[in-house]
Amino acid sequence: SCENGSVARVSMTPLVAARTKANVANSKIDGIYANFILSGELNVEQGGVSVLAKEGDLVVYDSELPVTHTGGGRHYEDLSFLIPKSRFSSVPRPEDHFRNILLSRGKMISPLSSCLSYLGGNLSTASEEELSALFDVFVSLLPVAAGCFCADKKEVDPVALASQLLREI
């Protein structure tokens, strides 16, 4: 991990991992975690909410709260991101928007989905400059995909939101 964030490809057999209050207290980075599921499933429990992410889904959660992960199936693989909250300066109180949310493959805006798929397929062969640029794109698109700029987050239609964003661009 670094000041601007990090990404890693993680491959393993089933797992159970917990980030406790003590782990949180010892953490040096106040950030947002994100896991893009390449294969298998990941159940994330945080703040009394449990979400199940499957292949092609993105789960996002706050580093400042205890969390439990349970990876299922015979094989599990994901892209794991740590993004400092300072990277979300345009988002008021990012922890309120990124507290254990699931962006499912079928409802994720296509620019974010394409970026993550490209990263998943090219992480080991891309140059450091390419990875840095793709990470920046991911961080820029995440608040849009999560509905951070909508007045009523519960009524976000990701397809309409992406269409509106593309028209504005």
Side-chain angles (χ1 to χ4, degrees), residues 76-105:
Y76 168 78
E77 191 170 16
D78 79 359
L79 292 180
S80 182
F81 298 88
L82 172 57
I83 310 158
K85 288 181 185 171
S86 61
R87 295 286 306 262
F88 298 113
S89 60
S90 65
V91 178
R93 299 191 42 82
E95 59 275 4
D96 289 345
H97 296 282
F98 299 123
R99 185 170 290 139
N100 202 17
I101 62 166
L102 177 68
L103 300 173
S104 65
R105 174 175 60 184

PDB file of all heavy atoms in Angstrom, residues 76-105:
ATOM      1  N   TYR A  76     -11.125 -18.911  -4.798  1.00  0.00           N
ATOM      2  CA  TYR A  76     -11.566 -17.526  -4.711  1.00  0.00           C
ATOM      3  C   TYR A  76     -10.454 -16.640  -5.254  1.00  0.00           C
ATOM      4  O   TYR A  76      -9.284 -16.838  -4.962  1.00  0.00           O
ATOM      5  CB  TYR A  76     -11.859 -17.170  -3.246  1.00  0.00           C
ATOM      6  CG  TYR A  76     -12.051 -15.699  -3.025  1.00  0.00           C
ATOM      7  CD1 TYR A  76     -13.254 -15.094  -3.359  1.00  0.00           C
ATOM      8  CD2 TYR A  76     -11.035 -14.909  -2.528  1.00  0.00           C
ATOM      9  CE1 TYR A  76     -13.434 -13.734  -3.188  1.00  0.00           C
ATOM     10  CE2 TYR A  76     -11.207 -13.552  -2.350  1.00  0.00           C
ATOM     11  CZ  TYR A  76     -12.399 -12.977  -2.685  1.00  0.00           C
ATOM     12  OH  TYR A  76     -12.582 -11.629  -2.533  1.00  0.00           O
ATOM     13  N   GLU A  77     -10.840 -15.650  -6.077  1.00  0.00           N
ATOM     14  CA  GLU A  77      -9.850 -14.726  -6.624  1.00  0.00           C
ATOM     15  C   GLU A  77     -10.491 -13.354  -6.774  1.00  0.00           C
ATOM     16  O   GLU A  77     -11.634 -13.242  -7.218  1.00  0.00           O
ATOM     17  CB  GLU A  77      -9.362 -15.239  -7.975  1.00  0.00           C
ATOM     18  CG  GLU A  77      -8.164 -14.512  -8.504  1.00  0.00           C
ATOM     19  CD  GLU A  77      -7.560 -15.209  -9.721  1.00  0.00           C
ATOM     20  OE1 GLU A  77      -8.213 -16.061 -10.335  1.00  0.00           O
ATOM     21  OE2 GLU A  77      -6.418 -14.862 -10.058  1.00  0.00           O
ATOM     22  N   ASP A  78      -9.755 -12.317  -6.390  1.00  0.00           N
ATOM     23  CA  ASP A  78     -10.281 -10.962  -6.546  1.00  0.00           C
ATOM     24  C   ASP A  78      -9.170  -9.953  -6.771  1.00  0.00           C
ATOM     25  O   ASP A  78      -7.999 -10.267  -6.641  1.00  0.00           O
ATOM     26  CB  ASP A  78     -11.144 -10.561  -5.345  1.00  0.00           C
ATOM     27  CG  ASP A  78     -10.363 -10.133  -4.107  1.00  0.00           C
ATOM     28  OD1 ASP A  78      -9.123 -10.141  -4.107  1.00  0.00           O
ATOM     29  OD2 ASP A  78     -11.010  -9.782  -3.111  1.00  0.00           O
ATOM     30  N   LEU A  79      -9.589  -8.755  -7.157  1.00  0.00           N
ATOM     31  CA  LEU A  79      -8.711  -7.596  -7.129  1.00  0.00           C
ATOM     32  C   LEU A  79      -9.065  -6.869  -5.841  1.00  0.00           C
ATOM     33  O   LEU A  79     -10.230  -6.547  -5.607  1.00  0.00           O
ATOM     34  CB  LEU A  79      -8.957  -6.672  -8.317  1.00  0.00           C
ATOM     35  CG  LEU A  79      -8.576  -7.176  -9.691  1.00  0.00           C
ATOM     36  CD1 LEU A  79      -8.906  -6.118 -10.743  1.00  0.00           C
ATOM     37  CD2 LEU A  79      -7.112  -7.546  -9.761  1.00  0.00           C
ATOM     38  N   SER A  80      -8.070  -6.614  -5.036  1.00  0.00           N
ATOM     39  CA  SER A  80      -8.291  -5.975  -3.746  1.00  0.00           C
ATOM     40  C   SER A  80      -7.679  -4.576  -3.774  1.00  0.00           C
ATOM     41  O   SER A  80      -6.497  -4.413  -4.085  1.00  0.00           O
ATOM     42  CB  SER A  80      -7.633  -6.819  -2.654  1.00  0.00           C
ATOM     43  OG  SER A  80      -7.848  -6.267  -1.398  1.00  0.00           O
ATOM     44  N   PHE A  81      -8.489  -3.582  -3.461  1.00  0.00           N
ATOM     45  CA  PHE A  81      -8.064  -2.182  -3.512  1.00  0.00           C
ATOM     46  C   PHE A  81      -8.087  -1.561  -2.121  1.00  0.00           C
ATOM     47  O   PHE A  81      -8.990  -1.845  -1.335  1.00  0.00           O
ATOM     48  CB  PHE A  81      -9.020  -1.349  -4.374  1.00  0.00           C
ATOM     49  CG  PHE A  81      -9.101  -1.769  -5.808  1.00  0.00           C
ATOM     50  CD1 PHE A  81     -10.007  -2.741  -6.209  1.00  0.00           C
ATOM     51  CD2 PHE A  81      -8.287  -1.186  -6.763  1.00  0.00           C
ATOM     52  CE1 PHE A  81     -10.102  -3.127  -7.539  1.00  0.00           C
ATOM     53  CE2 PHE A  81      -8.374  -1.572  -8.097  1.00  0.00           C
ATOM     54  CZ  PHE A  81      -9.278  -2.544  -8.482  1.00  0.00           C
ATOM     55  N   LEU A  82      -7.140  -0.691  -1.849  1.00  0.00           N
ATOM     56  CA  LEU A  82      -7.170   0.184  -0.682  1.00  0.00           C
ATOM     57  C   LEU A  82      -7.019   1.602  -1.210  1.00  0.00           C
ATOM     58  O   LEU A  82      -6.023   1.927  -1.879  1.00  0.00           O
ATOM     59  CB  LEU A  82      -6.054  -0.137   0.302  1.00  0.00           C
ATOM     60  CG  LEU A  82      -5.889   0.833   1.460  1.00  0.00           C
ATOM     61  CD1 LEU A  82      -7.180   0.967   2.268  1.00  0.00           C
ATOM     62  CD2 LEU A  82      -4.737   0.413   2.355  1.00  0.00           C
ATOM     63  N   ILE A  83      -8.023   2.421  -0.934  1.00  0.00           N
ATOM     64  CA  ILE A  83      -8.042   3.789  -1.455  1.00  0.00           C
ATOM     65  C   ILE A  83      -8.128   4.751  -0.270  1.00  0.00           C
ATOM     66  O   ILE A  83      -9.098   4.714   0.492  1.00  0.00           O
ATOM     67  CB  ILE A  83      -9.269   4.020  -2.365  1.00  0.00           C
ATOM     68  CG1 ILE A  83      -9.381   2.906  -3.401  1.00  0.00           C
ATOM     69  CG2 ILE A  83      -9.211   5.399  -3.005  1.00  0.00           C
ATOM     70  CD1 ILE A  83     -10.767   2.733  -3.959  1.00  0.00           C
ATOM     71  N   PRO A  84      -7.129   5.604  -0.079  1.00  0.00           N
ATOM     72  CA  PRO A  84      -7.221   6.586   1.005  1.00  0.00           C
ATOM     73  C   PRO A  84      -8.456   7.474   0.826  1.00  0.00           C
ATOM     74  O   PRO A  84      -8.778   7.875  -0.305  1.00  0.00           O
ATOM     75  CB  PRO A  84      -5.933   7.404   0.860  1.00  0.00           C
ATOM     76  CG  PRO A  84      -4.997   6.526   0.087  1.00  0.00           C
ATOM     77  CD  PRO A  84      -5.870   5.721  -0.828  1.00  0.00           C
ATOM     78  N   LYS A  85      -9.144   7.767   1.909  1.00  0.00           N
ATOM     79  CA  LYS A  85     -10.339   8.617   1.819  1.00  0.00           C
ATOM     80  C   LYS A  85     -10.012   9.994   1.258  1.00  0.00           C
ATOM     81  O   LYS A  85     -10.874  10.638   0.661  1.00  0.00           O
ATOM     82  CB  LYS A  85     -11.012   8.740   3.187  1.00  0.00           C
ATOM     83  CG  LYS A  85     -11.705   7.472   3.605  1.00  0.00           C
ATOM     84  CD  LYS A  85     -12.378   7.636   4.958  1.00  0.00           C
ATOM     85  CE  LYS A  85     -12.957   6.308   5.406  1.00  0.00           C
ATOM     86  NZ  LYS A  85     -13.439   6.365   6.796  1.00  0.00           N
ATOM     87  N   SER A  86      -8.768  10.418   1.391  1.00  0.00           N
ATOM     88  CA  SER A  86      -8.366  11.720   0.849  1.00  0.00           C
ATOM     89  C   SER A  86      -8.533  11.773  -0.670  1.00  0.00           C
ATOM     90  O   SER A  86      -8.657  12.852  -1.242  1.00  0.00           O
ATOM     91  CB  SER A  86      -6.919  12.030   1.226  1.00  0.00           C
ATOM     92  OG  SER A  86      -6.041  11.045   0.687  1.00  0.00           O
ATOM     93  N   ARG A  87      -8.568  10.611  -1.341  1.00  0.00           N
ATOM     94  CA  ARG A  87      -8.771  10.572  -2.795  1.00  0.00           C
ATOM     95  C   ARG A  87     -10.218  10.907  -3.172  1.00  0.00           C
ATOM     96  O   ARG A  87     -10.527  11.108  -4.334  1.00  0.00           O
ATOM     97  CB  ARG A  87      -8.418   9.184  -3.359  1.00  0.00           C
ATOM     98  CG  ARG A  87      -6.971   8.769  -3.254  1.00  0.00           C
ATOM     99  CD  ARG A  87      -6.061   9.489  -4.231  1.00  0.00           C
ATOM    100  NE  ARG A  87      -6.463   9.411  -5.598  1.00  0.00           N
ATOM    101  CZ  ARG A  87      -5.997   8.572  -6.509  1.00  0.00           C
ATOM    102  NH1 ARG A  87      -5.069   7.704  -6.172  1.00  0.00           N
ATOM    103  NH2 ARG A  87      -6.432   8.593  -7.752  1.00  0.00           N
ATOM    104  N   PHE A  88     -11.108  10.942  -2.177  1.00  0.00           N
ATOM    105  CA  PHE A  88     -12.516  11.241  -2.424  1.00  0.00           C
ATOM    106  C   PHE A  88     -12.876  12.629  -1.888  1.00  0.00           C
ATOM    107  O   PHE A  88     -13.922  12.820  -1.273  1.00  0.00           O
ATOM    108  CB  PHE A  88     -13.415  10.179  -1.771  1.00  0.00           C
ATOM    109  CG  PHE A  88     -13.199   8.798  -2.323  1.00  0.00           C
ATOM    110  CD1 PHE A  88     -12.648   7.805  -1.536  1.00  0.00           C
ATOM    111  CD2 PHE A  88     -13.540   8.500  -3.633  1.00  0.00           C
ATOM    112  CE1 PHE A  88     -12.446   6.536  -2.035  1.00  0.00           C
ATOM    113  CE2 PHE A  88     -13.334   7.227  -4.151  1.00  0.00           C
ATOM    114  CZ  PHE A  88     -12.789   6.245  -3.340  1.00  0.00           C
ATOM    115  N   SER A  89     -12.025  13.605  -2.159  1.00  0.00           N
ATOM    116  CA  SER A  89     -12.235  14.957  -1.615  1.00  0.00           C
ATOM    117  C   SER A  89     -13.527  15.603  -2.121  1.00  0.00           C
ATOM    118  O   SER A  89     -14.097  16.458  -1.447  1.00  0.00           O
ATOM    119  CB  SER A  89     -11.036  15.855  -1.931  1.00  0.00           C
ATOM    120  OG  SER A  89     -10.858  15.944  -3.333  1.00  0.00           O
ATOM    121  N   SER A  90     -14.019  15.186  -3.278  1.00  0.00           N
ATOM    122  CA  SER A  90     -15.262  15.764  -3.810  1.00  0.00           C
ATOM    123  C   SER A  90     -16.510  15.109  -3.220  1.00  0.00           C
ATOM    124  O   SER A  90     -17.618  15.580  -3.466  1.00  0.00           O
ATOM    125  CB  SER A  90     -15.298  15.643  -5.338  1.00  0.00           C
ATOM    126  OG  SER A  90     -15.337  14.273  -5.710  1.00  0.00           O
ATOM    127  N   VAL A  91     -16.327  14.047  -2.441  1.00  0.00           N
ATOM    128  CA  VAL A  91     -17.450  13.320  -1.847  1.00  0.00           C
ATOM    129  C   VAL A  91     -17.541  13.693  -0.371  1.00  0.00           C
ATOM    130  O   VAL A  91     -16.635  13.392   0.403  1.00  0.00           O
ATOM    131  CB  VAL A  91     -17.261  11.785  -1.981  1.00  0.00           C
ATOM    132  CG1 VAL A  91     -18.404  11.042  -1.307  1.00  0.00           C
ATOM    133  CG2 VAL A  91     -17.122  11.381  -3.430  1.00  0.00           C
ATOM    134  N   PRO A  92     -18.638  14.354   0.031  1.00  0.00           N
ATOM    135  CA  PRO A  92     -18.774  14.657   1.453  1.00  0.00           C
ATOM    136  C   PRO A  92     -18.966  13.359   2.251  1.00  0.00           C
ATOM    137  O   PRO A  92     -19.767  12.515   1.883  1.00  0.00           O
ATOM    138  CB  PRO A  92     -20.015  15.549   1.536  1.00  0.00           C
ATOM    139  CG  PRO A  92     -20.710  15.398   0.226  1.00  0.00           C
ATOM    140  CD  PRO A  92     -19.747  14.826  -0.759  1.00  0.00           C
ATOM    141  N   ARG A  93     -18.189  13.196   3.298  1.00  0.00           N
ATOM    142  CA  ARG A  93     -18.252  12.036   4.191  1.00  0.00           C
ATOM    143  C   ARG A  93     -18.272  10.712   3.418  1.00  0.00           C
ATOM    144  O   ARG A  93     -19.281  10.005   3.404  1.00  0.00           O
ATOM    145  CB  ARG A  93     -19.436  12.142   5.134  1.00  0.00           C
ATOM    146  CG  ARG A  93     -19.365  13.369   6.044  1.00  0.00           C
ATOM    147  CD  ARG A  93     -20.368  13.393   7.167  1.00  0.00           C
ATOM    148  NE  ARG A  93     -20.579  12.141   7.845  1.00  0.00           N
ATOM    149  CZ  ARG A  93     -19.805  11.633   8.820  1.00  0.00           C
ATOM    150  NH1 ARG A  93     -18.745  12.291   9.211  1.00  0.00           N
ATOM    151  NH2 ARG A  93     -20.093  10.485   9.391  1.00  0.00           N
ATOM    152  N   PRO A  94     -17.162  10.376   2.762  1.00  0.00           N
ATOM    153  CA  PRO A  94     -17.132   9.157   1.947  1.00  0.00           C
ATOM    154  C   PRO A  94     -17.496   7.899   2.735  1.00  0.00           C
ATOM    155  O   PRO A  94     -18.082   6.971   2.179  1.00  0.00           O
ATOM    156  CB  PRO A  94     -15.696   9.091   1.426  1.00  0.00           C
ATOM    157  CG  PRO A  94     -14.922  10.075   2.193  1.00  0.00           C
ATOM    158  CD  PRO A  94     -15.875  11.071   2.757  1.00  0.00           C
ATOM    159  N   GLU A  95     -17.204   7.877   4.018  1.00  0.00           N
ATOM    160  CA  GLU A  95     -17.544   6.699   4.817  1.00  0.00           C
ATOM    161  C   GLU A  95     -19.046   6.435   4.859  1.00  0.00           C
ATOM    162  O   GLU A  95     -19.481   5.293   5.017  1.00  0.00           O
ATOM    163  CB  GLU A  95     -16.970   6.803   6.243  1.00  0.00           C
ATOM    164  CG  GLU A  95     -17.449   7.996   7.035  1.00  0.00           C
ATOM    165  CD  GLU A  95     -16.667   9.276   6.785  1.00  0.00           C
ATOM    166  OE1 GLU A  95     -15.755   9.313   5.934  1.00  0.00           O
ATOM    167  OE2 GLU A  95     -16.984  10.275   7.450  1.00  0.00           O
ATOM    168  N   ASP A  96     -19.860   7.471   4.672  1.00  0.00           N
ATOM    169  CA  ASP A  96     -21.310   7.280   4.641  1.00  0.00           C
ATOM    170  C   ASP A  96     -21.761   6.628   3.333  1.00  0.00           C
ATOM    171  O   ASP A  96     -22.773   5.933   3.294  1.00  0.00           O
ATOM    172  CB  ASP A  96     -22.042   8.621   4.799  1.00  0.00           C
ATOM    173  CG  ASP A  96     -21.913   9.189   6.201  1.00  0.00           C
ATOM    174  OD1 ASP A  96     -21.509   8.451   7.120  1.00  0.00           O
ATOM    175  OD2 ASP A  96     -22.198  10.387   6.373  1.00  0.00           O
ATOM    176  N   HIS A  97     -21.031   6.839   2.267  1.00  0.00           N
ATOM    177  CA  HIS A  97     -21.397   6.318   0.948  1.00  0.00           C
ATOM    178  C   HIS A  97     -20.791   4.949   0.668  1.00  0.00           C
ATOM    179  O   HIS A  97     -21.304   4.204  -0.159  1.00  0.00           O
ATOM    180  CB  HIS A  97     -20.942   7.284  -0.154  1.00  0.00           C
ATOM    181  CG  HIS A  97     -21.614   8.610  -0.083  1.00  0.00           C
ATOM    182  ND1 HIS A  97     -22.900   8.822  -0.527  1.00  0.00           N
ATOM    183  CD2 HIS A  97     -21.181   9.799   0.402  1.00  0.00           C
ATOM    184  CE1 HIS A  97     -23.224  10.085  -0.331  1.00  0.00           C
ATOM    185  NE2 HIS A  97     -22.202  10.699   0.220  1.00  0.00           N
ATOM    186  N   PHE A  98     -19.682   4.635   1.335  1.00  0.00           N
ATOM    187  CA  PHE A  98     -18.957   3.404   1.042  1.00  0.00           C
ATOM    188  C   PHE A  98     -18.959   2.432   2.220  1.00  0.00           C
ATOM    189  O   PHE A  98     -17.990   1.737   2.457  1.00  0.00           O
ATOM    190  CB  PHE A  98     -17.515   3.727   0.636  1.00  0.00           C
ATOM    191  CG  PHE A  98     -17.406   4.586  -0.590  1.00  0.00           C
ATOM    192  CD1 PHE A  98     -16.740   5.795  -0.543  1.00  0.00           C
ATOM    193  CD2 PHE A  98     -17.972   4.191  -1.788  1.00  0.00           C
ATOM    194  CE1 PHE A  98     -16.624   6.586  -1.669  1.00  0.00           C
ATOM    195  CE2 PHE A  98     -17.869   4.980  -2.920  1.00  0.00           C
ATOM    196  CZ  PHE A  98     -17.192   6.178  -2.862  1.00  0.00           C
ATOM    197  N   ARG A  99     -20.025   2.401   2.964  1.00  0.00           N
ATOM    198  CA  ARG A  99     -20.119   1.497   4.107  1.00  0.00           C
ATOM    199  C   ARG A  99     -20.794   0.209   3.678  1.00  0.00           C
ATOM    200  O   ARG A  99     -22.008   0.113   3.653  1.00  0.00           O
ATOM    201  CB  ARG A  99     -20.888   2.151   5.257  1.00  0.00           C
ATOM    202  CG  ARG A  99     -20.902   1.274   6.503  1.00  0.00           C
ATOM    203  CD  ARG A  99     -21.450   1.994   7.703  1.00  0.00           C
ATOM    204  NE  ARG A  99     -20.489   3.014   8.108  1.00  0.00           N
ATOM    205  CZ  ARG A  99     -20.839   4.240   8.499  1.00  0.00           C
ATOM    206  NH1 ARG A  99     -22.103   4.589   8.553  1.00  0.00           N
ATOM    207  NH2 ARG A  99     -19.918   5.100   8.843  1.00  0.00           N
ATOM    208  N   ASN A 100     -19.978  -0.760   3.289  1.00  0.00           N
ATOM    209  CA  ASN A 100     -20.428  -2.101   2.922  1.00  0.00           C
ATOM    210  C   ASN A 100     -21.540  -2.074   1.875  1.00  0.00           C
ATOM    211  O   ASN A 100     -22.670  -2.461   2.138  1.00  0.00           O
ATOM    212  CB  ASN A 100     -20.864  -2.894   4.156  1.00  0.00           C
ATOM    213  CG  ASN A 100     -20.814  -4.379   3.906  1.00  0.00           C
ATOM    214  OD1 ASN A 100     -20.188  -4.844   2.966  1.00  0.00           O
ATOM    215  ND2 ASN A 100     -21.482  -5.139   4.741  1.00  0.00           N
ATOM    216  N   ILE A 101     -21.175  -1.626   0.687  1.00  0.00           N
ATOM    217  CA  ILE A 101     -22.135  -1.595  -0.418  1.00  0.00           C
ATOM    218  C   ILE A 101     -21.710  -2.598  -1.494  1.00  0.00           C
ATOM    219  O   ILE A 101     -20.535  -2.915  -1.632  1.00  0.00           O
ATOM    220  CB  ILE A 101     -22.274  -0.189  -1.042  1.00  0.00           C
ATOM    221  CG1 ILE A 101     -20.946   0.291  -1.642  1.00  0.00           C
ATOM    222  CG2 ILE A 101     -22.819   0.795  -0.028  1.00  0.00           C
ATOM    223  CD1 ILE A 101     -21.093   1.486  -2.548  1.00  0.00           C
ATOM    224  N   LEU A 102     -22.682  -3.065  -2.226  1.00  0.00           N
ATOM    225  CA  LEU A 102     -22.449  -4.005  -3.313  1.00  0.00           C
ATOM    226  C   LEU A 102     -22.852  -3.349  -4.623  1.00  0.00           C
ATOM    227  O   LEU A 102     -23.972  -2.865  -4.768  1.00  0.00           O
ATOM    228  CB  LEU A 102     -23.274  -5.277  -3.097  1.00  0.00           C
ATOM    229  CG  LEU A 102     -23.179  -6.325  -4.203  1.00  0.00           C
ATOM    230  CD1 LEU A 102     -21.785  -6.934  -4.246  1.00  0.00           C
ATOM    231  CD2 LEU A 102     -24.230  -7.403  -3.978  1.00  0.00           C
ATOM    232  N   LEU A 103     -21.917  -3.306  -5.559  1.00  0.00           N
ATOM    233  CA  LEU A 103     -22.212  -2.862  -6.918  1.00  0.00           C
ATOM    234  C   LEU A 103     -22.197  -4.130  -7.765  1.00  0.00           C
ATOM    235  O   LEU A 103     -21.129  -4.665  -8.078  1.00  0.00           O
ATOM    236  CB  LEU A 103     -21.167  -1.857  -7.410  1.00  0.00           C
ATOM    237  CG  LEU A 103     -21.049  -0.572  -6.586  1.00  0.00           C
ATOM    238  CD1 LEU A 103     -19.883   0.266  -7.069  1.00  0.00           C
ATOM    239  CD2 LEU A 103     -22.327   0.209  -6.623  1.00  0.00           C
ATOM    240  N   SER A 104     -23.366  -4.638  -8.077  1.00  0.00           N
ATOM    241  CA  SER A 104     -23.452  -5.912  -8.779  1.00  0.00           C
ATOM    242  C   SER A 104     -23.095  -5.754 -10.255  1.00  0.00           C
ATOM    243  O   SER A 104     -23.284  -4.690 -10.847  1.00  0.00           O
ATOM    244  CB  SER A 104     -24.838  -6.522  -8.632  1.00  0.00           C
ATOM    245  OG  SER A 104     -25.802  -5.711  -9.259  1.00  0.00           O
ATOM    246  N   ARG A 105     -22.601  -6.833 -10.818  1.00  0.00           N
ATOM    247  CA  ARG A 105     -22.153  -6.842 -12.212  1.00  0.00           C
ATOM    248  C   ARG A 105     -23.251  -6.346 -13.151  1.00  0.00           C
ATOM    249  O   ARG A 105     -22.995  -5.562 -14.050  1.00  0.00           O
ATOM    250  CB  ARG A 105     -21.720  -8.252 -12.594  1.00  0.00           C
ATOM    251  CG  ARG A 105     -21.380  -8.396 -14.057  1.00  0.00           C
ATOM    252  CD  ARG A 105     -20.854  -9.746 -14.409  1.00  0.00           C
ATOM    253  NE  ARG A 105     -21.809 -10.791 -14.104  1.00  0.00           N
ATOM    254  CZ  ARG A 105     -21.565 -12.072 -14.243  1.00  0.00           C
ATOM    255  NH1 ARG A 105     -20.397 -12.470 -14.652  1.00  0.00           N
ATOM    256  NH2 ARG A 105     -22.478 -12.960 -13.952  1.00  0.00           N
TER     257      ARG A 105
END
